Amino acid sequence: MRYEVCDCNFNFVNVGSAGDVLEDNPVGKLQVYVYELPSKYNKKILQKDSRCLNHMFAAEIFMHRFLLSSPVRTRNPEEADWFYTPVYTTCDLTPTGLPLPFKSPRMMRSAIQLISSNWPYWNRTEGADHFFVVPHDFGACFHYQEEKAIERGILPLLRRATLVQTFGQRNHVCLKEGSITIPPYAPPQKMQAHLIPPETPRSIFVYFRGLFYDVNNDPEGGYYARGARASVWENFKNNPLFDISTDHPTTYYEDMQRSIFCLCPLGWAPWSPRLVEAVVFGCIPVIIADDIVLPFADAIPWEDIGVFLAEKDVPNLDTILTSIEPEVVLRKQRLLANPSMKQAMLFPQPAQPRDAFHQILNGLARKLPHDKNVHLKPGEKILDWSVGPVGDLKPW
Amino acid sequence: MKPSLLQQSRRSNSFRGSTPLDSSPDGGGATKSPAAIFWLVLHGLCCLVSLVLGFRFSRLIFFLLFSTSTNSNTGLYQTSPFRTVADIAENLAFSTSLPSLDSSPANRTSGVSSSGVVVGRHGILIRPWPHPNPEEVMKAHRIIERVQREQRAQYGVKSPRTVIVVTPTYVRTFQTLHLTGVMHSLMNVPYDLVWIVVEAGGVTNETASLITKSGLRTIHIGCEERMPLSWEDRHRMEARMRLRALRVVSEKKLDGAVMFADDSNMHSMELFDEIQKVKWIGAVSVGILAHSGHSDEDLSAVRNEGDESNSPVPIQGPACNSSDQLVGWHTFNSLPYVGRSANYVGDRATVLPRKLEWAGFVLNSRLVWKEAVDKPDWVKDLDMVARDEANVESPLSLLKDSSVVEPLGSCGRKVLLWWLRVEARADSKFPSGWIIDPPLEVTVPARHTPWPDAPPELPTSEKVTSIKESSEKRSTKTRTHRSRRGSRSKRKHEARSVDAHVSERHSHEN
């Protein structure tokens, strides 16, 4: 289906066929039951530290708030298709604002113990019709360091549940089959406040602001970002087409709107809010992260919108970008200009149609109806509650 | 970037020793088993060797020992065709904090199935010539240009009109300076342009050669009368020249927006975007840079006298009320300058503008056509106006009712051009076309620095004047220009020498 978008001078601009799936309305397609957990799992944590509402992991909190007042919510668990457990596992922050994942496995385990003992719905499917929002670095592996995360693997109790997470990498332990990848939270009001007139000519060819070497944790390089960011710096620091540096300019958002390409390389984890910012500001994202799974990949045609680059091809980044035909560049920009694309990346308050909350519900609706083997026969048990590192089994 | 920010302090924590809650098995080094001690000793030895060699030798050993037994080679990055930052050591795919785990590098692969993405240290790939390729830079610029063109088409002015620029000029010292400035501004205008240059004193080759360099479509008209010397008369002459240009617009039925670009004014690019919006006649705000050739005391005296205006630079242009409608005009207040203004061109006193300069007005060219489809009735016929040439002060004389003027530039709040009159003294001379022909007389001949093995030449003619130092310095300068092959360092020494004898200098040179 071709989409025509009205740019406010009433000139209909053809934006090509961009994901009709984005336009789906999930209301009426599914029912979600929200467990009422004691506030120590959600409200009290938020009260202790309200910074959780602004950082990039805030999706878990906003999803809870959205579901509480959404038309898909049902108070009758018998007619629910999906069950949601509101537990804020990414809200234990250090003084500088970084979430510590060390207590998260215990918190999640404790929450699941609660719902399995107070309601029968967990036990009848062992969580196969439950979904959890785990926006941390490596999802439900609950660790920030990749090796440790891989070692831990996904929390055993969540093996059958659907995970809604920001992390996505193919053939990775921490991304399980059937997970829904979502964008990280980026503050919509802040981005709206920095919009510049669209007729400002885009004069920067490639733009990037961020670290190339993580001197605190990986001084030699080669570890951070698998050496890709360092490679970008070493190859292109003298190239006038590349506006890349480690600055923190106040005009970061404005500069993105004046750029044609925005680099989105991996860091310690393959995802970052940079992708969301690039889409919102109409800058073509250049994704440098091997095997990454991007948010809502089944609804958004990332191949058509962005440029994908293998990490080994980073030294040829300039050749690759300059050899793109101008018409292709224009087409990508037109697709990016589609407001549904931008809306699907955002978590606005209050929720708006076709935003990320709705895309998550669409994703959940697409997984319905549940498979027959979701419901366990009486007495059958698949999950082993004693599996896992000793520290996880302690009560929270 | 952001996840890394998160990782910073936490990762350093983990390196110092895992937190009690962290349950990964890395406590190997803490136990005093012989294996652990052996590894520690080996590690220490390798560190010493690394100190000597200059790269991370310890990891290389492990890699060489274990690489044949694993199949993780496919995941490793080849760095031999490239220069790398950290030499060979980064070929290894091991984590830095867990030496005891290097016996099982296969564990490090992040995937259950075989995938190319390996966790751990990778090489930093740098190509041998990390500099931009000029062809690629040109391709990138073409992409940028295409994108900007598309942006203009989408968000900019739809159906842009031709800009008709009227410039009165005449040959004088500062003409090249002023006209080049205007020319370059016009060359950057993204719309179609017609440049009508009206020249006092007839069409000359000077002006013609200058304006053809622009590559714009030009109409060069000559007025036989010479430009008068006094500013009063000059302003009137310029008005007559502009009317002459408008007559050409009317005869040729040129279609577009007419603007008046005096050759010494400064225009911003937004001005040309703004004049596209004019319907019939519009006015923009002009910043007046009334400049005096005298020292600052004259200017400050003026400022002290009449200081009611808020803006430091006087502005001429439309005045609007709060609903953005034209209610009046900001004009130049010339009272403080009475008796102190310049009278003739080249006078050092302040040159004053008229009440309302022509430069601040924009017309739809159809206003001056004889017959136009929807020509409004509040405009007077051009010929009628032209008959009364002496009293035409600004385009407002073309109108019966001056309230129809549209204020542009967000109702006059934006200053889009600046008025300035800077002229040299009336009797100043300049080489015609700014070409020095015949060449200037030589005062001191240039010296050739001889080849090292060639015999020294004797000077042919030398003006041994009393001002020896300056001529020496001059000659050393010309010597540096003419031949760099000579002994530079020696020249530096001899530049300071104050030697009367030429031959001595020659021997010093060798």
Side-chain angles (χ1 to χ4, degrees):
Chain A
M1 207 206 280
R2 296 185 79 75
Y3 268 90
E4 316 266 311
V5 170
C6 170
D7 70 338
C8 301
N9 289 329
F10 292 96
N11 293 312
F12 281 78
V13 176
N14 201 327
V15 294
S17 35
D20 333 333
V21 185
L22 286 177
E23 309 283 326
D24 284 352
N25 189 357
V27 174
K29 296 203 184 137
L30 78 165
Q31 307 264 47
V32 176
Y33 178 74
V34 181
Y35 284 119
E36 298 234 345
L37 291 184
S39 56
K40 72 165 183 171
Y41 290 98
N42 31 58
K43 289 206 187 63
K44 283 227 182 92
I45 301 179
L46 188 54
Q47 267 165 9
K48 260 191 259 174
D49 196 341
S50 66
R51 287 178 296 176
C52 295
L53 283 173
N54 299 320
H55 66 179
M56 66 178 95
F57 309 101
E60 59 183 2
I61 302 173
F62 291 121
M63 190 67 190
H64 183 202
R65 292 190 181 177
F66 164 70
L67 284 173
L68 284 176
S69 52
S70 158
V72 303
R73 182 193 184 187
T74 166
R75 299 202 187 252
N76 179 5
E78 292 301 329
E79 29 169 77
D81 303 301
W82 286 102
F83 293 82
Y84 171 64
T85 318
V87 49
Y88 301 165
T89 51
T90 334
C91 202
D92 180 15
L93 305 184
T94 65
T96 50
L98 315 172
L100 292 171
F102 304 122
K103 295 199 195 130
S104 311
R106 287 163 57 204
M107 201 198 299
M108 186 63 86
R109 204 186 150 86
S110 156
I112 296 177
Q113 252 166 352
L114 198 78
I115 59 177
S116 63
S117 46
N118 290 0
W119 288 275
Y121 308 104
W122 176 270
N123 288 330
R124 75 174 179 186
T125 58
E126 295 238 290
D129 53 358
H130 289 57
F131 73 92
F132 295 83
V133 181
V134 280
H136 196 245
D137 293 7
F138 288 98
C141 290
F142 292 122
H143 209 282
Y144 49 81
Q145 225 189 34
E146 195 168 356
E147 287 108 359
K148 295 221 178 77
I150 294 171
E151 262 175 69
R152 297 180 57 93
I154 297 182
L155 195 70
L157 290 178
L158 294 174
R159 288 260 159 79
R160 284 170 60 86
T162 295
L163 296 175
V164 178
Q165 57 187 54
T166 46
F167 171 74
Q169 188 173 311
R170 280 189 281 276
N171 299 323
H172 197 281
V173 174
C174 298
L175 176 72
K176 87 181 186 62
E177 179 87 40
S179 299
I180 298 176
T181 340
I182 62 170
Y185 176 74
Q189 292 90 344
K190 193 164 159 216
M191 292 200 280
Q192 285 288 336
H194 285 271
L195 284 177
I196 62 176
E199 59 258 20
T200 317
R202 286 187 188 263
S203 46
I204 303 175
F205 192 62
V206 178
Y207 186 77
F208 177 76
R209 288 288 181 271
L211 289 180
F212 299 100
Y213 293 94
D214 187 351
V215 281
N216 292 332
N217 303 310
D218 177 33
E220 287 171 8
Y223 217 132
Y224 175 56
R226 295 198 274 268
R229 287 195 184 197
S231 181
V232 168
W233 176 250
E234 298 299 336
N235 281 304
F236 303 113
K237 59 188 176 194
N238 294 320
N239 194 320
L241 298 172
F242 284 67
D243 186 353
I244 58 180
S245 85
T246 51
D247 274 357
H248 278 264
T250 44
T251 53
Y252 176 60
Y253 288 152
E254 287 83 348
D255 291 341
M256 276 190 135
Q257 293 169 74
R258 293 197 305 118
S259 318
I260 300 185
F261 292 104
C262 287
L263 294 185
C264 301
L266 70 160
W268 288 112
W271 58 270
S272 101
R274 227 170 243 117
L275 185 68
V276 177
E277 288 158 1
V279 171
V280 169
F281 293 130
C283 180
I284 300 175
V286 179
I287 296 150
I288 309 174
D290 285 348
D291 287 348
I292 188 175
V293 174
L294 290 174
F296 305 131
D298 46 354
I300 298 182
W302 288 109
E303 291 286 336
D304 294 336
I305 295 176
V307 178
F308 285 83
L309 196 76
E311 285 162 28
K312 63 173 170 52
D313 287 330
V314 167
N316 301 323
L317 180 60
D318 57 348
T319 315
I320 293 172
L321 288 183
T322 52
S323 61
I324 301 180
E325 293 289 329
E327 291 306 320
V328 174
V329 171
L330 289 179
R331 179 156 190 274
K332 286 186 198 276
Q333 288 189 323
R334 252 173 272 147
L335 286 171
L336 273 174
N338 187 353
S340 325
M341 212 75 75
K342 299 191 211 267
Q343 191 77 312
M345 291 275 113
L346 295 173
F347 292 94
Q349 268 80 50
Q352 289 163 11
R354 296 193 294 264
D355 64 10
F357 298 116
H358 290 88
Q359 302 304 333
I360 297 174
L361 292 179
N362 279 336
L364 290 169
R366 281 195 285 274
K367 295 182 86 176
L368 293 174
H370 289 299
D371 227 8
K372 292 287 177 297
N373 55 13
V374 146
H375 287 271
L376 303 175
K377 306 187 198 31
E380 187 184 350
K381 272 184 83 72
I382 299 181
L383 291 183
D384 187 354
W385 285 67
S386 55
V387 142
V390 177
D392 283 1
L393 303 176
K394 297 194 197 128
W396 182 71
Chain B
M1 174 185 94
K2 286 172 186 135
S4 73
L5 265 183
L6 305 175
Q7 314 293 4
Q8 272 171 12
S9 61
R10 288 181 296 163
R11 286 192 75 86
S12 41
N13 278 340
S14 79
F15 276 48
R16 267 186 246 120
S18 31
T19 64
L21 295 168
D22 189 4
S23 48
S24 54
D26 62 346
T31 64
K32 290 290 176 235
S33 64
I37 295 178
F38 166 69
W39 282 121
L40 270 174
V41 166
L42 191 60
H43 182 51
L45 210 65
C46 292
C47 283
L48 284 172
V49 178
S50 311
L51 268 176
V52 171
L53 285 176
F55 62 84
R56 296 268 302 278
F57 182 66
S58 55
R59 308 301 171 189
L60 184 57
I61 278 279
F62 298 135
F63 169 60
L64 290 172
L65 282 176
F66 292 111
S67 67
T68 49
S69 60
T70 68
N71 60 351
S72 56
N73 267 333
T74 49
L76 297 176
Y77 284 69
Q78 294 310 311
T79 54
S80 39
F82 301 109
R83 251 188 315 117
T84 58
V85 172
D87 294 324
I88 309 168
E90 72 277 6
N91 272 345
L92 310 174
F94 300 126
S95 65
T96 54
S97 63
L98 307 170
S100 54
L101 286 175
D102 45 29
S103 54
S104 51
N107 277 347
R108 298 297 106 201
T109 56
S110 54
V112 175
S113 53
S114 65
S115 90
V117 185
V118 182
V119 179
R121 171 157 280 119
H122 291 73
I124 299 172
L125 305 172
I126 305 179
R127 63 184 193 211
W129 181 249
H131 294 291
N133 180 340
E135 272 154 30
E136 285 167 12
V137 174
M138 281 322 295
K139 274 199 255 183
H141 281 286
R142 256 172 255 139
I143 294 178
I144 295 177
E145 209 192 337
R146 182 73 188 84
V147 167
Q148 289 186 356
R149 204 164 9 125
E150 185 69 23
Q151 275 185 287
R152 260 200 298 273
Q154 275 200 359
Y155 303 108
V157 179
K158 315 282 173 215
S159 61
R161 290 151 56 177
T162 313
V163 178
I164 303 169
V165 185
V166 173
T167 303
T169 183
Y170 70 105
V171 176
R172 71 238 193 245
T173 309
F174 274 45
Q175 183 202 29
T176 311
L177 170 74
H178 294 318
L179 214 52
T180 313
V182 174
M183 194 167 77
H184 288 169
S185 299
L186 297 181
M187 281 159 77
N188 275 328
V189 172
Y191 310 109
D192 287 332
L193 203 96
V194 177
W195 194 15
I196 304 181
V197 179
V198 190
E199 190 171 352
V203 171
T204 59
N205 282 339
E206 283 266 347
T207 320
S209 59
L210 194 54
I211 63 180
T212 43
K213 275 193 246 179
S214 66
L216 302 167
R217 195 179 137 204
T218 52
I219 301 176
H220 192 175
I221 309 169
C223 285
E224 290 315 315
E225 213 184 306
R226 294 185 60 92
M227 189 64 92
L229 216 50
S230 88
W231 278 109
E232 275 291 325
D233 294 334
R234 178 172 157 173
H235 285 142
R236 275 194 220 109
M237 173 83 189
E238 281 177 1
R240 286 203 292 276
M241 286 157 73
R242 293 186 189 109
L243 284 175
R244 176 79 202 281
L246 288 178
R247 237 177 309 188
V248 170
V249 170
S250 164
E251 279 160 27
K252 296 205 172 175
K253 285 210 163 6
L254 295 176
D255 194 16
V258 181
M259 56 104 53
F260 302 97
D262 301 339
D263 57 2
S264 53
N265 287 355
M266 180 67 213
H267 312 88
S268 74
M269 286 298 117
E270 279 115 28
L271 172 67
F272 297 99
D273 294 327
E274 200 63 27
I275 61 182
Q276 296 285 333
K277 297 185 192 160
V278 78
K279 206 162 165 300
W280 287 113
I281 174 162
V284 294
S285 287
V286 184
I288 303 293
L289 302 172
H291 164 81
S292 155
H294 294 308
S295 58
D296 291 305
E297 27 179 80
D298 197 45
L299 262 175
S300 51
V302 168
R303 245 186 242 133
N304 287 337
E305 265 186 41
D307 215 60
E308 333 90 43
S309 63
N310 298 330
S311 59
V313 168
I315 312 279
Q316 255 187 18
C320 295
N321 62 7
S322 49
S323 45
D324 283 348
Q325 282 164 341
L326 183 72
V327 291
W329 299 95
H330 290 300
T331 59
F332 185 73
N333 179 15
S334 52
L335 285 178
Y337 295 90
V338 160
R340 267 192 281 226
S341 64
N343 288 326
Y344 55 90
V345 177
D347 189 351
R348 287 178 66 199
T350 323
V351 183
L352 300 179
R354 319 297 283 159
K355 277 238 157 359
L356 283 174
E357 277 290 326
W358 284 74
F361 288 92
V362 188
L363 311 171
N364 185 337
S365 63
R366 286 171 195 243
L367 281 182
V368 298
W369 287 7
K370 273 234 150 322
E371 300 294 329
V373 178
D374 25 71
K375 191 164 146 177
D377 48 359
W378 39 255
V379 65
K380 296 183 203 160
D381 189 41
L382 184 64
D383 292 330
M384 306 276 286
V385 174
R387 247 168 258 157
D388 191 22
E389 267 181 2
N391 284 335
V392 176
E393 274 235 348
S394 74
L396 292 178
S397 324
L398 281 172
L399 311 175
K400 293 179 191 149
D401 168 24
S402 57
S403 62
V404 293
V405 178
E406 307 145 31
L408 298 172
S410 69
C411 209
R413 279 189 280 273
K414 274 190 167 176
V415 174
L416 297 171
L417 72 154
W418 293 267
W419 179 95
L420 175 66
R421 290 282 181 265
V422 175
E423 297 292 350
R425 277 171 51 145
D427 57 348
S428 74
K429 297 218 188 335
F430 66 99
S432 105
W434 288 98
I435 292 178
I436 302 176
D437 184 32
L440 300 171
E441 283 176 17
V442 177
T443 50
V444 177
R447 271 171 196 282
H448 293 281
T449 308
W451 285 107
D453 44 336
E457 285 175 26
L458 288 173
T460 47
S461 69
E462 165 96 20
K463 257 191 178 167
V464 183
T465 64
S466 49
I467 35 165
K468 195 134 296 179
E469 291 95 276
S470 59
S471 70
E472 276 177 24
K473 285 205 190 88
R474 262 304 270 304
S475 57
T476 24
K477 261 196 215 150
T478 46
R479 238 184 301 162
T480 1
H481 280 167
R482 295 293 286 266
S483 49
R484 291 176 197 274
R485 296 172 233 123
S487 41
R488 264 214 183 122
S489 47
K490 286 195 199 143
R491 239 182 269 134
K492 278 194 199 129
H493 296 311
E494 69 197 3
R496 287 283 147 245
S497 68
V498 185
D499 231 342
H501 232 337
V502 172
S503 50
E504 265 184 36
R505 208 179 323 123
H506 263 296
S507 53
H508 181 59
E509 208 176 307
N510 290 323

